[in-house]
Structure formats: C-alpha cells, structure tokens
Amino acid sequence: MKLSKENKRQRIHLRIRKRLKGTAERPRLAVYRSNKDIYCQLIDDVKNVTIAATSSKEIKEGNKSEQATNVGKQIADMAKQSNIETVVFDRGGYLYHGRVKALADGARENGLKF
C-alpha cells in the first residue's frame, strides 16, 4: 500500500506529537502549511485551548517565505502580550525548511525562545 504525501506527513506529525506537550507557561507553537498560506497557533494542551493564532491570510505583501517570516513575528508579538517567552515548536510533520523555517526565524527575531 502506497501512502500519499499527506498521509506520510500526518504519520510523521503523530510521531512528533507523542513527545510534544504544550502548557500554559510553555505552549505549543503549531504550524500548518497549505499551498497558498501558512497558519500558526499557540496551544495549551493541558486545557485544550488556543491562546493565539495568526496566518498569512492577513499579510499579503512579499513572497510566501517573507509572509511566513511576518507571521512568525506576529505570533511572537501575540505571545509577548500573553506574557509567554518560551514555546515548544511543532512543525506539524513538515520539514524544517523553507516557509516553516522562515516562520520559526521570524518568531525568534521578535524574542520568542524555543
């Protein structure tokens, strides 16, 4: 049985999620990447609550990597407003490369630690 690309990503994501757990002090920064946009949220897995969320749908200047960097900066600002300094990075089964890496670098630029 041959798995599709999306099924492979989901299996990798489940393998990653076994080890990651977000708390109120150190939430999980979850990333989802579609063909057009990139989305991220800060999640408290203990209470099952989304603390903050943003996407590139609100930011439409620049190419996709620049948009991802801006989304990372925006989520870092939202985290600062919620008094959050460190997070657990959940790449969602995607390779740490390209837009996912750009988002992470943007978040680190604005002071988020992970």
Side-chain angles (χ1 to χ4, degrees):
M1 183 174 101
K2 188 164 177 147
L3 294 174
S4 70
K5 207 176 208 184
E6 179 62 17
N7 287 342
K8 284 181 189 176
R9 184 195 69 80
Q10 287 174 345
R11 288 179 77 171
I12 294 167
H13 182 53
L14 290 174
R15 201 164 53 230
I16 292 168
R17 283 285 291 123
K18 277 194 286 189
R19 297 180 195 92
L20 296 180
K21 188 138 185 141
T23 62
E25 301 83 38
R26 192 168 181 206
R28 177 167 56 100
L29 176 60
V31 175
Y32 175 72
R33 191 190 72 187
S34 71
N35 286 337
K36 274 187 172 182
D37 297 302
I38 191 158
Y39 307 82
C40 66
Q41 357 177 12
L42 293 173
I43 303 169
D44 178 0
D45 288 318
V46 176
K47 295 179 185 171
N48 292 323
V49 195
T50 297
I51 299 166
T54 187
S55 73
S56 62
K57 284 183 176 270
E58 298 136 18
I59 306 162
K60 282 299 177 190
E61 66 269 353
N63 61 27
K64 290 180 185 176
S65 293
E66 291 166 356
Q67 288 176 8
T69 303
N70 291 334
V71 169
K73 290 177 181 179
Q74 196 172 28
I75 199 73
D77 291 337
M78 291 176 165
K80 282 181 190 173
Q81 291 172 358
S82 300
N83 296 325
I84 296 167
E85 295 177 11
T86 59
V87 295
V88 179
F89 190 70
D90 177 9
R91 60 188 173 90
Y94 303 105
L95 293 176
Y96 186 78
H97 177 71
R99 288 191 282 160
V100 176
K101 185 175 188 294
L103 188 141
D105 291 341
R108 282 193 184 107
E109 276 178 37
N110 273 19
L112 209 55
K113 295 183 184 121
F114 51 95

